[in-house]
Amino acid sequence: MTTDYASYLEAHRAEHLEQLKALLRYPSISTDPAHRTDVLQCAEFLAAHLREIGLEHVELLPTGGHPVVYADWLHAAGAPTVIVYGHYDVQPVDPLHFWTTPPFEPDIRDGRLYARGASDDKGPTFMHLKAFEALLQTEGALPVNVKLCIEGEEEIGSAHLPAFLERNQDRFRGDLLVISDTTMYGPGQPSVCYGLRGLAALQVDLRTVNRDLHSGIYGGAAPNAIHALTELLASMHDKAGRVLVEGFYDDVQPLTDEERRAYQQLDLKETDYAKALGLNGADDLVGEPEFSVLERVWARPTLEINGIYGGFEGEGTKTVIPAEAHAKITCRLVPNQDPQKILDLLEKHIAAHTPTGAHVTVQRMDTGNPYVTAFDHPAIQLAAEAYTHAYGVRAVFTRMGGSIPIVETFDRLLGLPAVLIGFGLDTENFHAPNEHFHLDNFDKGLRTLCYYWKALPKAMEAS
């Protein structure tokens, strides 16, 4: 038995990547009932692997939807108990024609592993398993007690997990929550995330006439559902991109002066940011102009139209006046904003701005509360130190524009401080075609995690 986890990880790197590829081959798309068996088989694969590396009490726990994969190792007397959260479900893969290689046939190109779930979140979750394996194999024990909660519904809003945690509070008692489902600030620049935006989603279904109509016979008299819907949606923003829904910003918790200074010190080049998106320059960016780009994407709320459809969508032309049109909307929320209140405000706005001749129904969908924590906790500061050990640079502290709704649930139910220690990059196309994970971060991230677990007991003594 060697005592050097870094040497162990290097010696077993090829094996570990093949195991990760096996995990990525499961099309565990949680939102699609056609993949329900694939999701279950992915969970079973993880459970078998957890047993293989030496974790105990491995179970697939029912939730009312896709199961939670649970495992623990509880033999570190006097050491803290850590809940490690991740998810094994993935987003749909459409549009398929944009993928260079099939989404569930993992492929390594130019130091990157391409597959759906490579970065979000199978790759980072799998890294925790490999870090635990390395420590068990090189030291014979883990320095901390661990409990794993790997769910299968994160990509559909963790619909069943809050109630599951409510029922299983005793099982998940601990001292700390650790998650690797966030991104780093940039290549070679790790970051510790201390805040996440919340979520409120809804679908708008608009109808005008009682059927699709011939545009020659009825055009000029009959109301067009797509025209009406686009008019309604246009009422939600001004030309700069500010949200015009009355009351939308009322409860927003403003950034502190310290946070604004910290974001300025990151010195984001907004022109470069815009050009990386294929835009001409910073003037093409949208949003509240009185806030910087980092402030807009990390600490300000948004209202985005994610999809709009109706009428004829096939090849060629079909001269119809569509009778119905639909839109999907999500809002990213910041501290003090309540998802249900935001949905109330949106419904009120829609009712007030529905064009003449149109009838609208609204379906409420996913919600999640925003989360921000103080980053002076010793366990959070240790994450920055662990990054420094592996990357050779000090981590910065950031928020993230995305949402992990269950973080707030863990905090509310169990009072667990959360350490968000991620290894992905914003450019890795999660939720999009050609999702990938940089293997440099796979290697350095494993060393980061091993260092973190070994140093955690001493750091927690100060908390």
Side-chain angles (χ1 to χ4, degrees):
M1 178 181 290
T2 176
T3 58
D4 183 353
Y5 63 76
S7 296
Y8 178 88
L9 291 169
E10 184 176 356
H12 292 269
R13 182 178 189 266
E15 176 189 351
H16 292 167
L17 287 176
E18 287 304 313
Q19 292 167 346
L20 176 54
K21 286 181 179 181
L23 175 62
L24 293 169
R25 290 190 180 99
Y26 289 96
S28 50
I29 303 170
S30 54
T31 191
D32 188 347
H35 287 283
R36 187 172 188 84
T37 298
D38 298 313
V39 177
L40 178 59
Q41 289 176 346
C42 185
E44 291 171 339
F45 174 91
L46 276 172
H49 197 69
L50 288 164
R51 295 185 186 99
E52 183 180 328
I53 66 175
L55 296 190
E56 300 172 341
H57 305 117
V58 180
E59 295 182 66
L60 298 187
L61 300 176
T63 66
H66 301 303
V68 164
V69 182
Y70 175 84
D72 62 36
W73 193 94
L74 303 173
H75 304 293
T81 296
V82 183
I83 313 301
V84 177
Y85 167 88
H87 66 91
Y88 62 90
D89 65 321
V90 299
Q91 283 277 331
V93 296
D94 307 279
L96 268 173
H97 65 275
F98 282 122
W99 286 83
T100 302
T101 52
F104 296 108
E105 295 180 19
D107 186 53
I108 294 177
R109 306 191 299 273
D110 302 321
R112 304 171 185 179
L113 175 58
Y114 286 81
R116 173 59 88 226
S119 183
D120 181 20
D121 176 44
K122 288 181 180 179
T125 296
F126 188 75
M127 289 167 63
H128 282 280
L129 275 58
K130 296 297 98 177
F132 293 141
E133 175 189 317
L135 292 172
L136 286 168
Q137 289 296 319
T138 58
E139 304 194 7
L142 297 180
V144 294
N145 301 295
V146 298
K147 300 177 180 178
L148 272 65
C149 178
I150 308 175
E151 71 153 320
E153 297 187 328
E154 195 275 344
E155 299 293 6
I156 51 174
S158 300
H160 295 92
L161 198 58
F164 168 84
L165 289 175
E166 185 86 45
R167 297 191 302 271
N168 289 274
Q169 290 185 56
D170 289 341
R171 183 190 290 266
F172 289 102
R173 298 287 178 195
D175 302 294
L176 188 68
L177 175 68
V178 172
I179 298 176
S180 294
D181 194 15
T182 52
T183 57
M184 305 198 309
Y185 181 65
Q189 179 54 73
S191 54
V192 182
C193 179
Y194 68 92
L196 299 160
R197 290 195 288 194
L199 183 70
L202 75 163
Q203 177 168 317
V204 177
D205 301 301
L206 183 147
R207 190 168 187 92
T208 51
V209 292
N210 59 6
R211 65 191 185 280
D212 285 359
L213 301 172
H214 189 294
S215 66
I217 297 174
Y218 293 95
N224 183 307
I226 293 179
H227 294 182
L229 181 61
T230 54
E231 178 184 339
L232 171 60
L233 297 176
S235 73
M236 296 181 179
H237 295 90
D238 67 14
K239 289 184 177 180
R242 297 182 188 88
V243 178
L244 294 178
V245 175
E246 186 175 353
F248 186 81
Y249 295 108
D250 286 357
D251 297 329
V252 170
Q253 182 183 95
L255 281 163
T256 65
D257 291 340
E258 179 186 8
E259 285 177 306
R260 299 196 81 166
R261 285 193 298 270
Y263 296 173
Q264 290 168 2
Q265 290 170 3
L266 293 173
D267 194 27
L268 175 73
K269 307 299 184 188
E270 296 190 358
T271 297
D272 293 343
Y273 180 94
K275 289 184 175 179
L277 299 176
L279 303 173
N280 292 324
D283 289 343
D284 290 342
L285 297 170
V286 300
E288 302 170 273
E290 60 269 35
F291 295 93
S292 71
V293 166
L294 288 182
E295 290 168 348
R296 283 180 239 166
V297 299
W298 287 348
R300 297 295 297 173
T302 67
L303 187 158
E304 298 288 354
I305 300 163
N306 309 119
I308 180 169
Y309 54 100
F312 177 64
E313 299 176 46
E315 293 283 341
T317 299
K318 183 181 181 183
T319 53
V320 296
I321 297 172
E324 59 182 53
H326 313 270
K328 294 181 183 292
I329 298 172
T330 54
C331 299
R332 299 288 180 171
L333 309 179
V334 297
N336 287 355
Q337 286 187 300
D338 176 75
Q340 297 303 328
K341 181 177 178 181
I342 292 298
L343 292 175
D344 289 342
L345 294 174
L346 280 171
E347 290 196 20
K348 183 178 178 181
H349 180 95
I350 289 167
H353 291 81
T354 296
T356 301
H359 173 73
V360 172
T361 58
V362 171
Q363 301 178 55
R364 296 191 179 200
M365 302 175 80
D366 301 344
T367 61
N369 290 311
Y371 174 83
V372 172
T373 188
F375 52 82
D376 57 356
H377 191 285
I380 297 176
Q381 290 294 317
L382 176 62
E385 179 185 320
Y387 275 129
T388 301
H389 170 78
Y391 284 83
V393 296
R394 181 71 176 175
V396 294
F397 291 89
T398 67
R399 295 196 197 184
M400 193 176 90
S403 305
I404 310 176
I406 205 61
V407 174
E408 188 274 341
T409 304
F410 273 107
D411 179 54
R412 175 168 43 83
L413 288 179
L414 299 169
L416 297 178
V419 179
L420 305 173
I421 180 170
F423 303 102
L425 296 173
D426 288 341
T427 56
E428 289 178 334
N429 292 357
F430 31 83
H431 294 203
N434 296 313
E435 179 180 350
H436 57 276
F437 189 39
H438 285 73
L439 295 183
D440 180 62
N441 290 328
F442 179 81
D443 298 329
K444 291 176 179 175
L446 284 168
R447 296 198 296 273
T448 300
L449 291 173
C450 288
Y451 181 97
Y452 186 80
W453 297 128
K454 290 192 69 172
L456 185 61
K458 184 176 181 180
M460 289 291 284
E461 289 176 2
S463 64

